[in-house]
Amino acid sequence: MKAAAAQASVPAPALLHQALASQAAAEFVMASGYDGTIIDLQHGEVGLEDACRMLRAIPRDRNAYAYARVGSIDAATILRLLDSGARGIVAPTVETAAQASALVTAVKYPPLGGRSLGPSRPALYDGEPYTDAGNHAVSAIIQIETRAGVENAEAIFATPGLDSVYLGPADLAVSHGLPGRGDWADGPVRDALVELSYLARGAGLTFGSYCASPAYAKALIEDGLVDYVGLGIDLVFLNRMAQDAITALRSES
């Protein structure tokens, strides 16, 4: 997500994490009103071939936030995802400027990075020259989710070609010895969120965070702390709906 895309008058985009390998689900996410998706190759059952098919299932006129989170910063995997239409790559557990630089190298065409030109979806990027258009259209997004990442944030955020920072609150909580949950109103995770939001904006980057509940996500947006949110996980939604349905069926009331 580009810093220039975050405007106060525009509602903050909401993205659904997808852990289920389903092209239909990718289509339904967009039809439901979500602004985009984060296809998760780090957790869940989505493999590279699945992710490429899911990206192609997202309508071309709605794919501005068609993101993929990789398991590691592997240039070959990232290239396949980008050529299938990913508009952003989220790299998890970034703790050093060198890792952020490796992500930019994999995501961006020269001179910013080292992405290779090759056959991809027709007219993937509009504009001339093509490589400049591609670099503008695709976001390099680092995920901060450890104490080390927070401590090194200023150096990481200074990486040329980086576009956005995404907070992983559950893993950050675990790194502090706390329960691995997403929504924190106080404590070290909340403190880190506020600090990272300030530092990211100061570096010309956008800032987002995963949120478990709509109320928490709305509060972060209204407080001006985030430019976008990851709101929920498809597998968790399915589990909750199934639990609600069977509980209602078997209730005695």
Side-chain angles (χ1 to χ4, degrees), residues 178-252:
L178 299 169
R181 60 181 173 85
D183 299 348
W184 294 88
D186 52 33
V189 177
R190 177 71 176 201
D191 292 343
L193 188 153
V194 173
E195 178 186 359
L196 294 174
S197 174
Y198 172 79
L199 291 174
R201 271 71 172 277
L205 310 174
T206 55
F207 181 72
S209 178
Y210 173 78
C211 303
S213 74
Y216 183 78
K218 186 174 183 179
L220 291 185
I221 295 168
E222 291 178 345
D223 288 343
L225 290 171
V226 294
D227 301 296
Y228 62 102
V229 294
L231 180 58
I233 304 169
D234 57 0
L235 186 58
V236 174
F237 284 169
L238 179 61
N239 180 53
R240 288 176 180 169
M241 292 178 65
Q243 287 180 341
D244 290 345
I246 199 65
T247 297
L249 174 66
R250 293 177 177 169
S251 66
E252 297 181 359

Side-chain angles (χ1 to χ4, degrees), residues 25 28 30 37 44 132 162 196 213 218:
F28 271 84
M30 303 308 300
T37 181
D132 288 349
L162 197 62
L196 294 174
S213 74
K218 186 174 183 179

Side-chain angles (χ1 to χ4, degrees), residues 45-150:
E45 63 179 26
V46 181
L48 179 57
E49 299 299 331
D50 298 316
C52 290
R53 285 191 290 267
M54 292 165 71
L55 287 166
R56 292 174 182 273
I58 298 172
R60 288 289 299 277
D61 61 349
R62 295 287 311 283
N63 76 341
Y65 304 109
Y67 292 172
R69 181 167 67 178
V70 292
S72 63
I73 303 173
D74 176 71
T77 296
I78 290 171
L79 180 61
R80 287 283 307 281
L81 294 167
L82 293 173
D83 283 352
S84 293
R87 294 289 293 272
I89 299 295
V90 182
T93 323
V94 171
E95 296 180 329
T96 68
Q99 290 174 307
S101 180
L103 175 66
V104 172
T105 297
V107 169
K108 304 290 186 176
Y109 291 116
L112 282 176
R115 179 183 171 186
S116 172
L117 281 167
S120 59
R121 299 178 71 178
L124 194 58
Y125 311 121
D126 296 324
E128 295 291 344
Y130 183 81
T131 53
D132 288 349
N135 284 347
H136 180 75
V138 175
S139 295
I141 306 156
I142 56 158
Q143 186 162 352
I144 300 293
E145 49 189 343
T146 64
R147 296 174 70 173
V150 175

